Every structure is written in structure tokens, then in C-alpha cells.
Amino acid sequence: MAEQMSGNQSPDPVGFGPAILKVVDAEKAPLRVFFGEQPTQLAPHIYQQRLAEWAEWAPVSREAEGK
């Protein structure tokens, strides 16, 4: 992942204002939102890793409930 991040420039902050207003004005605003291309590319990979880890440990989680 670090290789993907190296050399990437931060997004131009000028675009943040209109993007934030779209979120604020949305009829159903998201709980969380990413700004910029980099996080939208990295987030799915990170969450796939988390889901896999949670699935791996699901038996321990169920065991904690006495199941």
C-alpha cells in the first residue's frame, strides 16, 4: 500500500468546498465519506482485509456468547 501512496499528490483543496456542500445538502447524507481518489482506491482493500480477519475470528466471537 505504501508503494501506492508514494508520489501521489494531495487533492486540490478548492474542490473540497463544493464536495462538502453536496454531502451536507444531500437528502440522505452518508455517515462517512472519502474525499479524493486515493482513499476510494485504498478503502476497499483495507475493508476486505478486515472482513477476512473478522471471519477468521468469528468462532471466538461466537464462543464469547457461549455458542
Side-chain angles (χ1 to χ4, degrees):
M1 253 186 291
E3 299 86 33
Q4 293 174 338
M5 295 173 59
S6 64
N8 287 343
Q9 301 259 344
S10 296
D12 186 352
V14 172
F16 280 69
I20 291 171
L21 290 176
K22 283 184 180 180
V23 172
V24 171
D25 291 339
E27 187 173 318
K28 185 177 177 187
L31 179 61
R32 293 174 182 83
V33 66
F34 294 114
F35 294 113
E37 187 175 348
Q38 185 177 7
T40 58
Q41 291 176 350
L42 293 175
H45 174 70
I46 292 168
Y47 275 91
Q48 286 172 351
Q49 288 178 327
R50 288 179 183 180
L51 288 169
E53 183 175 359
W54 294 335
E56 179 183 344
W57 286 93
V60 176
S61 180
R62 286 189 294 276
E63 186 179 310
E65 292 184 323
K67 295 181 182 180

